[in-house]
Amino acid sequence: MSSKKDSGNLSVMPPPKHIAIIMDGNGRWAKSRHLPRSRGHQKGVQTVRKIVKHCAKLGVNTLTLFAFSSENMKRSRDEVGLLFKLFLSVLKTETGKLKDNNIRLKIIGDLSVFTPEIIALAQEAEASLQSNTGLTLVIAANYGGQWDITESAKKIAIDVSNGALDPDNINAALFNQYTALSGLPEVDLLIRTSGEVRLSNFLLWDLAYSEFYFSKTLWPDFNEQSLDDAILDFHSRDRRFGERNGEE
Ligand code: IPE
Ligand code: IPE
Ligand code: MG
């Protein structure tokens, strides 16, 4: 492809349909300012607001945000408690705003670790936004890619054992229907902030052919321009999906 990173014009390019983001670096952002980690997480929520709004404006179909990994449960009780509290307060304060902005919400992950209040609010929020037609916002909470694949395998095994599914019909397309992101477009672009270059057990199944973009910017400093830079870079990629289009 001929388009170059700096010469692209976002307004004339269709945005990636599905962007997934590993929002990393809240702790380091706070540490560099001699602030408690909690302040980094609070500032991170402000970035979430900005990026969700910007994706809706750009016409992105789906935005999946890694908010809390299954491994993050291993952090201190204080930090996990704080992250749960933040999740609860965001559900309380943001659902109305999502409604006003025609945004749908889907929460993926093993929700069983959360308090009944969080689980109920999450379900209410999803239901109240279900008929919206704009951006689909997916929040991955206590999510792990290996958990997602294992859960899918479990559900498939149940369907096979009760006769609803013939093992001969199990293929990638069918498996996909059992995963947490089933029914949503394939992930085009995966962004990870803060300079770490790993997946940390995020969407293992869904990233099979996604483009990866690693930014050194810490999540609380990530902004609309940072996302535009990632999307421009995405447009400069030659996505071949294993084919050699038009080449000898
Ligand atoms: C990402 O920021 C937010 C969560 C994982 C919940 P971190 O808390 O991982 O921040 P760093 O990586 O320590 O800077
Ligand atoms: C991944 O970040 C999880 C989220 C951003 C929610 P971590 O900071 O937990 O990952 P590691 O520990 O660097 O692999
Ligand atoms: Mg981190």
Side-chain angles (χ1 to χ4, degrees):
M1 260 174 90
S2 57
S3 55
K4 287 283 176 286
K5 191 177 170 179
D6 298 325
S7 59
N9 180 354
L10 270 191
S11 61
V12 298
M13 294 175 190
K17 263 196 178 156
H18 189 163
I19 300 176
I21 308 181
I22 302 174
M23 309 182 290
D24 198 12
N26 294 349
R28 277 162 283 167
W29 182 91
K31 194 174 178 197
S32 70
R33 286 165 178 75
H34 308 287
L35 295 169
R37 292 179 66 83
S38 57
R39 291 286 294 279
H41 293 313
Q42 283 160 1
K43 186 81 168 102
V45 172
Q46 290 178 23
T47 305
V48 170
R49 283 195 198 101
K50 275 189 217 166
I51 296 305
V52 168
K53 240 170 124 180
H54 195 53
C55 282
K57 184 179 141 207
L58 291 174
V60 172
N61 178 293
T62 305
L63 172 67
T64 297
L65 299 177
F66 203 8
F68 186 79
S69 76
S70 35
E71 288 71 30
N72 290 152
M73 282 298 288
K74 294 186 245 168
R75 293 192 180 185
S76 72
R77 263 178 70 136
D78 279 1
E79 184 163 358
V80 171
L82 177 105
L83 290 167
F84 279 25
K85 250 171 80 181
L86 210 54
F87 189 28
L88 180 69
S89 88
V90 165
L91 282 169
K92 280 184 181 162
T93 58
E94 305 299 313
T95 305
K97 291 180 208 160
L98 295 179
K99 195 162 203 163
D100 295 343
N101 286 288
N102 197 24
I103 296 171
R104 237 188 314 222
L105 178 69
K106 187 177 171 67
I107 296 166
I108 61 170
D110 178 4
L111 298 190
S112 65
V113 296
F114 296 110
T115 62
E117 190 186 12
I118 292 181
I119 295 171
L121 264 177
Q123 285 167 349
E124 279 166 32
E126 281 181 335
S128 75
L129 302 168
Q130 204 176 14
S131 59
N132 284 350
T133 55
L135 175 76
T136 296
L137 172 63
V138 182
I139 302 290
N142 193 31
Y143 176 88
Q146 291 179 341
W147 167 86
D148 195 350
I149 293 171
T150 313
E151 282 299 297
S152 308
K154 230 187 268 176
K155 288 180 199 148
I156 287 173
I158 291 169
D159 281 356
V160 168
S161 70
N162 64 26
L165 180 63
D166 180 346
D168 284 343
N169 292 333
I170 299 173
N171 54 30
L174 180 122
F175 194 95
N176 204 43
Q177 290 172 21
Y178 287 82
T179 61
L181 292 184
S182 137
L184 294 168
E186 279 175 18
V187 179
D188 296 307
L189 172 62
L190 177 273
I191 298 171
R192 182 170 188 151
T193 61
S194 89
E196 307 297 355
V197 186
R198 56 176 169 261
L199 290 180
S200 300
N201 196 17
F202 194 30
L203 303 163
L204 301 178
W205 171 267
D206 312 86
L207 298 177
Y209 249 114
S210 313
E211 296 296 326
F212 288 14
Y213 180 88
F214 296 99
S215 162
K216 290 209 159 43
T217 305
L218 302 174
W219 179 248
D221 291 326
F222 200 78
N223 61 22
E224 294 88 344
Q225 184 58 54
S226 324
L227 184 70
D228 288 351
D229 289 346
I231 295 175
L232 279 175
D233 193 83
F234 168 80
H235 283 302
S236 75
R237 310 280 178 93
D238 183 8
R239 303 189 79 193
R240 291 192 292 271
F241 299 100
E243 296 173 31
R244 303 293 300 158
N245 289 335
E247 288 179 28
E248 290 298 315

